[in-house]
Amino acid sequence: MPAVFLGVRHHSPACARLVAETVRRLRPAYVLVEGPADLNGRLDELTLGHDLPIAVFSHYRDADRTATTWAPLCDYSPEWVALREGRAAGAEVLFVDLPSWHPAFAQRANRYADAEARYAEATARLCERFGTGSVDALWDGLFEVAPPDGLAERLDAYFDLVRGDAGADEGDRAREAYMADWVRAVLAEAGSATVLVVTGGFHTPALRTLAARPAEVRGRPGLPVPPPGAVCGSYLVPYSFRQLDAFAGYQSGMPSPAYYQRLWEDGPEGAADRLRRSVVARLRRRRHPVSTADLVAAAALTGGLAALRGHPVPARADVLDGLAGALVKDDLTQPLPWSERAPLAPGSHPVVVEMVAAASGTRTGRLHPDTPAPPLVHDAAARLAAIGATGTRPLTCDLTTEDGLTASRTLHRLRVLGVPGRHRTTGPAHGADPVTTERWEAGPDSGRDAALIEAGAYGATLDEAAATVLADRARTTGPADAGLADLLFDTVLCGATALTDRLLTTLTAGVARHPDPGALGAVLATALGLWRHDRVYGTARSPLLAAVLDGAVGRVLWLVEGAHGRSGADPARLAALAGVRDALRHAPEQLTATAADTAALALRIARDPHAPADLRGAAHGLHRSLTAPAADPSAAADPRPAGTPTPLDLPAAALASAGDPRSLGDWLGGLFALAREEVTADSGDGSLLAVLDSVLAGLTDAEFLIALPALRRAFAWFPPRERERIARRLIERRGLRGSGRGLLRTTADPLHLAAARALEENVTALLDRHGLRSAR
């Protein structure tokens, strides 16, 4: 007897009803379902009595590839209904698709991603024919709110048209060939018994053709074998309506899961009524006025739209469009999200946001207590109990004690695994941070169980799983990425000692070809802090850290010497040079570059007219910080290779930079970033501060207005107390009295004040030119 094929759309209530009715009517001996065949021996886990939605989470990892996929199931998923109704009818229910680790799913995070979305030409023609811009609205009108008579035939016609002559991609062809092998094998076993095949409708036309072809059948297909050394597995995880919702970026099935849950339970009219009431309740909770007249208008609009679109009862889009027409009083700057199945865009109208949220729902699934879990779940529970982090009380970790360090590493490992529940509010932020305690507050733990199960893909214990995640980050973080410093510090915080050594080896090789001095500066600062100060985590004076320091210092110096062109101040690049200065101060014996060589290089950059202004200023500061004052500060001879370079004349350099008001602030920003203490220590008439005061006083109003933004950024390198001291010196230079604090406090933004003054002077000049200013 030939198989009976039912093509379905994933998470469609109409398709789920058709599956249930077909199983009850045919009483098949076998029900074959699109699902991972490697789960056939564990189907009892699915029927333990979970609160849906749930998902089958599958993971795969080898030396070259890490992949995770989900196969979500909710009350109205046709696959779930096929499993439930098939077992109730006494059928043998089998999953017949490839395992989720198979390369056929390599580019797919969701097993049930809509195939018709990947082959959209036919659905686009149908949308145009029926006058709708959304495949979801098209589907609702054709199937969800349409009369149930002839539903199977309409589905066949729809999926035949969607598939058409389109060639499936390589992954779909492999899956269809495997599922067809299952169909042929089970048909050979069944004899005259009925076999029902429930798969995504896109695959159904191909499966009919493939299953009908003559082929030698040698029993049920075997499971593909993972490559040697690969780690893979599958577990059930709780899922949520938000994860299911297409408006949140979900790849498959229907948007607005709460609406379709009500459609499954109450039918189209009941779902429409409950959606309206839910939207109104949410808006009123937000104190958004919704009057009785608004509700009457929304109901009238909904009914009119349904009639205009040929729907016997209102569909989801009819209800949402009617509510939007009655409740949104302002012009909309972007299309309604349900008109094109797009995620909510930033700045969406508040009423639209609440409508989408009401249609999405807040339901979260829950697994039965007897559901098997990966070992990591039990390991995490034991470790949290051991450190006293199972409740909601804050936890303080003293990093100088073994127990405190153990607790810190446990919580940091959960953090890098993305497991919610605790977040750190205080603690060391980098390797040089002298803080030796951490405080962890309890936070929202929604999704914690699912996150732990999913993290079990990386290892059986917290330390193994965290080390695997960090190793993956190290493998995918290229030498040009800015996250290397964070990765290094996270590795130290998690106590992944072996990985730390491997990561440092990778960093040592990577810094030699890193193109960005700013990112290198972050690595340099982290490595230097750990090398100098870390007595807690055990990395102080590490030879590998010393190698990273040496490579980073050399690379930063090479990059900045070759930098040319006009550009604004780059704080990250300046911080990198500050890191070089600090490394030369605190770890000179670990570096190939010497203070004398670096000072000579700084002298060359400072005198290079083609170097960016901030780098020229930073080079002056670096040179000043590395050399002692000389007897003749105006000497300009080039330094001898074996000697110490002569210091630069900073006041003269400031005067030279003042020739271009646009670059003065950038030059000062570089200088202050590297040597703010050195250059402001002297307060005499020939000091940099005095020269700078004279330079700024000599600028025209227009020049000052040009220079002001960069000048403000430059002085931001000074802490508030130092800025106040500079202000006090400026007051004293003018023979006035005051603390300096009042000079720093203005009634408005100084930029606005300066611009307003310039505008007033321009207006006054214009009035004078035309003789329009009245005499007083």
Side-chain angles (χ1 to χ4, degrees):
M1 181 176 179
V4 176
F5 290 89
L6 272 185
V8 300
R9 193 186 194 199
H10 306 298
H11 315 310
S12 161
C15 291
R17 287 194 189 91
L18 178 63
V19 169
E21 293 165 2
T22 304
V23 171
R24 293 167 190 165
R25 175 170 51 84
L26 295 180
R27 308 288 297 180
Y30 298 89
V31 177
L32 309 186
V33 182
E34 180 185 332
D38 56 341
L39 213 64
N40 279 330
R42 300 168 51 194
L43 291 183
D44 287 344
E45 293 178 25
L46 285 168
T47 57
L48 282 174
H50 314 287
D51 293 335
L52 272 60
I54 62 172
V56 179
F57 168 73
S58 301
H59 63 87
Y60 174 86
R61 188 176 74 253
D62 62 21
D64 302 315
R65 182 170 71 96
T66 298
T68 53
T69 60
W70 288 260
L73 298 165
C74 58
D75 287 328
Y76 52 88
S77 297
E79 298 82 7
W80 173 260
V81 173
L83 172 65
R84 187 192 66 203
E85 294 290 337
R87 287 200 157 195
E92 182 178 0
V93 180
L94 296 165
F95 283 169
V96 295
D97 199 358
L98 288 169
S100 298
W101 60 260
H102 194 276
F105 295 95
Q107 304 302 320
R108 209 165 300 166
N110 195 301
R111 170 179 290 275
Y112 295 139
D114 277 347
E116 55 263 50
R118 304 196 299 276
Y119 306 94
E121 184 178 346
T123 53
R125 290 199 305 269
L126 283 171
C127 287
E128 184 178 358
R129 168 66 179 81
F130 284 89
T132 177
S134 165
V135 174
D136 298 315
L138 172 70
W139 178 270
D140 284 350
L142 292 176
F143 304 107
E144 298 298 339
V145 299
D149 299 339
L151 177 60
E153 291 76 14
R154 277 183 281 131
L155 286 170
D156 283 343
Y158 175 85
F159 289 122
D160 284 341
L161 182 61
V162 169
R163 182 63 181 256
D165 297 327
D169 64 25
E170 185 178 351
D172 281 332
R173 289 197 300 272
R175 296 174 61 197
E176 288 166 358
Y178 186 72
M179 287 190 279
D181 288 343
W182 268 100
V183 174
R184 284 191 293 265
V186 173
L187 283 173
E189 290 181 22
S192 60
T194 301
V195 177
L196 177 63
V197 183
V198 180
T199 61
F202 179 82
H203 303 297
T204 302
L207 289 178
R208 281 198 181 100
T209 302
L210 291 171
R213 290 177 182 171
E216 184 179 359
V217 178
R218 297 181 179 178
R220 296 181 178 183
L223 286 173
V225 179
V231 178
C232 58
S234 297
Y235 289 94
L236 299 184
V237 296
Y239 220 61
S240 69
F241 274 178
R242 174 162 179 77
Q243 290 170 289
L244 272 172
D245 195 350
F247 292 135
Y250 177 60
Q251 291 182 329
S252 175
M254 319 290 275
S256 307
Y259 167 81
Y260 288 104
Q261 180 73 34
R262 295 161 189 151
L263 182 64
W264 169 251
E265 295 171 350
D266 304 326
E269 292 179 315
D273 180 61
R274 291 180 64 182
L275 177 57
R276 271 192 298 267
R277 287 192 280 117
S278 178
V279 169
V280 171
R282 290 185 66 92
L283 289 172
R284 285 177 172 167
R285 282 199 298 271
R286 300 283 185 182
R287 300 189 181 279
H288 185 92
V290 181
S291 67
T292 303
D294 290 332
L295 296 180
V296 171
L301 281 170
T302 297
L305 287 169
L308 183 65
R309 293 165 177 171
H311 300 158
V313 292
R316 179 186 67 109
D318 301 330
V319 179
L320 292 174
D321 286 341
L323 286 166
L327 302 179
V328 178
K329 312 295 185 183
D330 312 303
D331 291 336
L332 293 175
T333 59
Q334 50 204 346
L336 294 168
W338 54 85
S339 67
E340 54 183 6
R341 194 197 268 201
L344 275 172
S348 295
H349 194 284
V351 171
V352 174
V353 171
E354 294 304 322
M355 290 168 63
V356 169
S360 177
T362 59
R363 178 180 297 189
T364 298
R366 185 174 57 184
L367 297 178
H368 189 276
D370 294 337
T371 307
L376 177 68
V377 174
H378 308 295
D379 180 69
R383 296 198 186 202
L384 287 171
I387 65 173
T390 54
T392 58
R393 296 179 59 185
L395 184 67
T396 300
C397 305
D398 182 352
L399 302 180
T400 62
T401 67
E402 183 176 352
D403 289 345
L405 189 58
T406 298
S408 170
R409 286 174 171 170
T410 296
L411 296 172
H412 277 294
R413 288 165 184 169
L414 289 167
R415 175 180 61 81
V416 301
L417 290 171
V419 177
R422 290 268 173 179
H423 62 279
R424 193 178 74 158
T425 55
T426 60
H430 50 77
D433 198 333
V435 175
T436 58
T437 59
E438 290 180 334
R439 181 178 175 87
W440 294 79
E441 301 278 356
D445 61 357
S446 175
R448 180 177 176 277
D449 292 342
L452 268 175
I453 294 171
E454 292 169 11
Y458 298 106
T461 62
L462 272 181
D463 48 353
E464 179 187 353
T468 302
V469 168
L470 291 166
D472 284 349
R473 281 173 58 186
R475 189 170 61 220
T476 57
T477 301
D481 289 339
L484 288 171
D486 292 338
L487 174 59
L488 172 59
F489 197 48
D490 276 346
T491 304
V492 171
L493 291 172
C494 290
T497 308
L499 178 61
T500 305
D501 292 345
R502 292 202 306 271
L503 179 58
L504 289 172
T505 302
T506 302
L507 279 176
T508 304
V511 294
R513 56 184 186 275
H514 205 297
D516 180 13
L520 273 175
V523 173
L524 178 56
T526 299
L528 180 61
L530 291 170
W531 186 86
R532 288 183 63 200
H533 302 294
D534 178 26
R535 297 295 186 273
V536 171
Y537 302 111
T539 61
R541 299 302 189 269
S542 161
L544 284 172
L545 277 174
V548 172
L549 291 176
D550 187 34
V553 166
R555 183 65 174 174
V556 168
L557 292 175
W558 186 87
L559 288 170
V560 297
E561 187 173 17
H564 288 128
R566 181 184 294 275
S567 62
D570 183 346
R573 182 169 62 187
L574 299 178
L577 277 175
V580 169
R581 176 203 62 197
D582 294 340
L584 286 165
R585 284 177 175 174
H586 303 297
E589 66 280 4
Q590 309 299 324
L591 305 178
T592 303
T594 66
D597 291 340
T598 304
L601 180 145
L603 190 64
R604 293 195 296 272
I605 297 174
R607 291 172 172 169
D608 183 356
H610 302 294
D614 66 324
L615 275 185
R616 285 188 280 112
H620 277 84
L622 180 60
H623 185 276
R624 182 70 174 248
S625 67
L626 294 177
T627 57
D632 181 11
S634 63
D638 288 337
R640 290 167 297 174
T644 301
T646 305
L648 289 157
D649 185 351
L650 287 178
L655 283 170
S657 295
D660 185 357
R662 292 171 298 179
S663 64
L664 176 60
D666 293 338
W667 185 89
L668 287 171
L671 178 68
F672 295 158
L674 269 292
R676 72 169 193 270
E677 295 175 357
E678 291 89 338
V679 300
T680 58
D682 185 10
S683 59
D685 289 339
S687 67
L688 175 66
L689 185 62
V691 170
L692 184 58
D693 187 20
S694 300
V695 166
L696 293 179
L699 294 178
T700 67
D701 289 345
E703 290 172 337
F704 180 73
L705 197 59
I706 292 172
L708 183 56
L711 286 170
R712 294 189 70 199
R713 289 193 297 269
F715 280 94
W717 287 98
F718 290 93
R721 183 166 295 182
E722 291 186 27
R723 287 201 297 272
E724 184 178 342
R725 186 166 65 247
I726 292 171
R728 186 170 62 250
R729 288 182 182 176
L730 293 174
I731 292 173
E732 291 170 353
R733 278 179 53 81
R734 285 157 176 77
L736 303 174
R737 300 179 61 184
S739 67
R741 189 173 304 170
L743 195 62
L744 299 177
R745 295 178 178 176
T746 58
T747 56
D749 188 320
L751 280 175
H752 295 165
L753 293 175
R757 179 178 176 181
L759 178 62
E760 288 179 358
E761 292 180 353
N762 287 337
V763 171
T764 301
L766 186 63
L767 292 173
D768 288 341
R769 186 186 313 158
H770 295 284
L772 297 176
R773 202 152 55 122
S774 60
R776 295 185 178 179

